Amino acid sequence: MLQLQFLYSPPVSAQTLNFNTISNPKLSSSFSSPKSLQNHAFKFNTLSFTSKPSKFSLKCRQSEYFDQKQKLNNSSSTSPPPSSGSPPRYYVGHSIYKGKAALTVEPRAPEFVPLDSGAFKISREGFVLLQFAPAAGVRQYDWGRKQVFSLSVTEIGTLISLGTKESCEFFHDPFKGKSDEGKVRKVLKVEPLPDGSGHFFNLGVQKKLLNMDESIYIPVTRAEFTVLKSAFSYILPYLLGWHAFANSTKLDEASRVNNANPRYGGDYEWSR
């Protein structure tokens, strides 16, 4: 928005005539002829003046417009504010929607426990959580009846290496090794579609205490399965916690000198 403002002063006349003799309006008619002008004296007062240059000012409000726009963009920014004392957390996932069911895939981070030395050790590997929800209508899904299945890193590797015509099956008992073992049974089957265009993901859940036997299946196309495989391959080292180890490892000049020193027995064979 650019606003221009002009300030202009009109020029002053070159001379101003002061007719003292015609100050009376009654005498104005007597000056209508040249003869009458000869019988009257005129007094001309020339006014000296100094012409002032016209003022021209330019006021630009374009910067104000962009400042207001920048403030508006900053106020509507979607970047999460950093929390005090801890880095911000992000939650991600990928969903596949079909006519009879929906599938959501979400990674879960590994867990670490502190050691007396001040270091950290992984106590539980991360996993990928699969959530199956049956359809409740057209483009509507009943997430209150969802069933979940946690993929371990080994099971993720099985899905990554699964061929177009290959199938796999995973069995889970959430209470395995406990007193309620066998009361809940979960089976995930991944089988190729008859036309070879993708795979069926079928999750069967049996709960003996509730006398429930439910099965939710969803077809996954080859392109959708490729997206899942790519996401699994990327997140797998993070589920193992190797990113934390890589971030904590720093090579400095001292370590390089120790590795090259023959007295350092650990890497002496590789230093020769």
Side-chain angles (χ1 to χ4, degrees), residues 174-243:
F175 302 103
K176 187 176 181 180
K178 301 180 181 179
S179 58
D180 293 334
E181 182 177 353
K183 294 182 179 180
V184 178
R185 175 187 174 92
K186 294 183 179 182
V187 179
L188 176 63
K189 296 181 180 180
V190 181
E191 301 174 335
L193 295 173
D195 57 356
S197 61
H199 284 78
F200 260 125
F201 278 63
N202 187 357
L203 176 61
V205 180
Q206 295 179 355
K207 296 182 180 180
K208 296 181 179 180
L209 296 178
L210 302 177
N211 195 18
M212 185 195 73
D213 190 354
E214 187 174 5
S215 180
I216 305 176
Y217 66 92
I218 179 174
V220 177
T221 64
R222 185 182 304 174
E224 294 168 339
F225 198 21
T226 301
V227 173
L228 293 180
K229 288 183 177 181
S230 178
F232 291 163
S233 299
Y234 174 81
I235 202 64
L236 190 57
Y238 293 87
L239 300 180
L240 293 171
W242 284 29
H243 66 290

Side-chain angles (χ1 to χ4, degrees), residues 10-233:
V12 183
S13 59
Q15 289 181 342
T16 303
L17 300 179
N18 185 7
F19 298 93
N20 296 332
T21 58
I22 61 174
S23 60
N24 190 346
K26 295 182 179 180
L27 298 177
S28 61
S29 59
S30 62
F31 295 98
S32 58
S33 61
K35 184 178 181 179
S36 61
L37 293 175
Q38 296 175 358
N39 300 328
H40 297 276
F42 296 92
K43 184 179 180 180
F44 296 91
N45 293 332
T46 304
L47 302 180
S48 61
F49 68 94
T50 302
S51 61
K52 298 180 180 181
S54 302
K55 296 181 179 181
F56 176 80
S57 63
L58 176 64
K59 185 178 182 180
C60 179
R61 300 186 63 182
Q62 188 175 7
S63 59
E64 299 178 4
Y65 169 74
F66 283 106
D67 291 342
Q68 295 176 358
K69 187 175 181 182
Q70 183 66 25
K71 293 179 180 179
L72 180 61
N73 293 337
N74 294 337
S75 62
S76 61
S77 177
T78 57
S79 300
S83 57
S84 58
S86 62
R89 297 181 62 87
Y90 299 91
Y91 299 93
V92 297
H94 180 67
S95 300
I96 300 175
Y97 301 98
K98 295 300 173 68
K100 294 185 178 181
L103 171 62
T104 298
V105 181
E106 297 179 356
R108 292 291 187 267
E111 298 178 2
F112 297 86
V113 293
L115 301 178
D116 296 337
S117 61
F120 291 87
K121 181 180 180 181
I122 187 169
S123 61
R124 182 183 180 185
E125 293 180 344
F127 59 93
V128 170
L129 182 66
L130 305 182
Q131 301 183 66
F132 295 80
V138 180
R139 295 184 179 180
Q140 294 180 355
Y141 304 91
D142 189 359
W143 293 100
R145 296 173 50 200
K146 70 178 181 181
Q147 300 294 338
V148 298
F149 193 91
S150 300
L151 290 174
S152 65
V153 292
T154 304
E155 293 168 341
I156 293 174
T158 302
L159 291 177
I160 294 175
S161 61
L162 196 65
T164 306
K165 299 181 180 180
E166 296 178 343
S167 62
C168 61
E169 180 176 344
F170 308 123
F171 169 77
H172 282 189
D173 186 348
F175 302 103
K176 187 176 181 180
K178 301 180 181 179
S179 58
D180 293 334
E181 182 177 353
K183 294 182 179 180
V184 178
R185 175 187 174 92
K186 294 183 179 182
V187 179
L188 176 63
K189 296 181 180 180
V190 181
E191 301 174 335
L193 295 173
D195 57 356
S197 61
H199 284 78
F200 260 125
F201 278 63
N202 187 357
L203 176 61
V205 180
Q206 295 179 355
K207 296 182 180 180
K208 296 181 179 180
L209 296 178
L210 302 177
N211 195 18
M212 185 195 73
D213 190 354
E214 187 174 5
S215 180
I216 305 176
Y217 66 92
I218 179 174
V220 177
T221 64
R222 185 182 304 174
E224 294 168 339
F225 198 21
T226 301
V227 173
L228 293 180
K229 288 183 177 181
S230 178
F232 291 163
S233 299

